[in-house]
Amino acid sequence: MTDTIPPLDGRRASSVLAALCACTALVIGFVAAINLAVPMIAASALHPSSSELLWIVDGYVVVFACLVIPAGAAGDRFGRKGVLLAGLAALAAGAAVSALAPTVTIMLAGRVLTGVGAALVLPNTMGVLVHTMPPARRGRAIATWAGMSGIGGVIGNVGGGLLMTTGDWRLLFVAVALIAAGCATWVAVAVPRTGRHSRALDPAGTVTFVAAIVALLAGIIEGPESGWASPLVLGCFAAAAALLVVWVLIERRVAHPMLDPRIFRSPLLSAASVGMLVAFFANFGLFYVNASLLQYGRGFTVLEAGLGVVPLVVPVLAGVRFVPRLVSRIGRSAVLALAFLATSGGLLGLSTAISQPYAVYACWLVVVGIGVTLALPTLTAEITDGLPAEQAGVAGGLQSATRELGSALGVAVVGTILTAVFSGALPASLRGPDGPHTVAEALATAPAQRPEIVHAFTDGAASALLITSLIAFAAGLVVVAGSAWAARHTH
């Protein structure tokens, strides 16, 4: 271990925390903001196909999820601040490429580069945080960082909505490039260098792990488009399973594995990882359906749709700093039980409030926000506690990987349910294998049937939110049980 630093004083620690939170909000918010740009990109001079449009949206998430654990390990090995700055530079460069892209191919190249940058940024913000915060402030700092990662999606929705009012989707990427450059300057000035670990990297395990996650997420992304039983999707899932087996065999034999699979023997770490995946599955599934639901179902503009999710973030802003105190008072298992109860209950309420006044809908968004407020800091602390401090970057990478995988799953599952119910609820004249699968297609085919088409969409959205609620509740039971078992075992 080299390059250690003394504990930071209060003002310096606050500046470091603010810089790290800004970086986190940027990379998480970019995941959500791109969804608002989809209609404009689809109608732009790029003329992307439906498959290309899907990859423009999800290419960032796929690369992000695949590289985030290796990027955390690289930060532990080579220096977290340096890797964080490299990530911000890659993020700015990739966004600039996308902003100037004359073709879909170049656009996708820019999206891949931004994904690489995000993967380098997010786990190393956690690594820096763990190693720079004074022990007395570390718990609250981690809670604040986790809360910022939770509201990043809302920030992306609101910020993206503001930018999209100009009518130019390229402005979104210009803004991301400028913000990333600003964050890099802030980090360079405010953040000290932290200790580095001399352990060797694990190229074979890293490549195998990345290939497995690529195959898994490719199957998830292609599922709604190609069919979940199609040879392509089944082949992706089979390849992912086989590669994960190979990865486990490799990691058990190398001296310094990137991520030792034996750590998941810990019920605490396993439960926390599943919990993080489920939390982001629910939240990004909601983000995916909410923007369209507010626009089609309530007639909101793009900006109004971005602002319409703000009630979800109110509990996060107001209450995240109190979560560590609540955990110390009633225990992590009890806090997680409340978190998943609020999340699943809020989603259930939203599924029944689609046709009710927006004030009722907003109240249920607040309930979901309470679940986010309680879950993310608690799960972040569990994952951080599950690995030693010298692997703080890996811990951050594990959290980020479960988040992005959960986000991709949420969008894919919610999108599949929404499309299936919507297609079946359309007027008889529009049904069939060659019928429309989106609201835009249906309205272009039969504009006179707009009320029936919108009603079919809201039915699909209600079903998607209901099923997401049930999944969150069932998975929450598993997470709480694992956390409670781990607490008893530890004591």
Side-chain angles (χ1 to χ4, degrees), residues 260-274 332 382-383 385-387 398 482-483 485-487 489-490:
D260 192 337
R262 286 168 288 199
I263 65 174
F264 292 106
R265 293 175 181 172
S266 164
L268 180 67
L269 191 62
S270 297
S273 298
V274 173
R332 285 176 175 171
E382 285 195 343
I383 294 177
D385 290 347
L387 287 170
L398 180 59
S483 179
W485 191 95
H489 181 72
T490 301

Side-chain angles (χ1 to χ4, degrees), residues 395-416:
L398 180 59
Q399 294 173 65
S400 303
T402 53
R403 286 177 180 143
E404 299 315 312
L405 182 56
S407 301
L409 278 168
V411 170
V413 172
V414 167
T416 299

Side-chain angles (χ1 to χ4, degrees), residues 8 80 201 220 229 234 345 364 417 422 487:
L8 302 179
R80 300 173 187 93
L201 295 179
I220 292 169
L234 293 178
W364 287 115
I417 298 167
F422 169 71

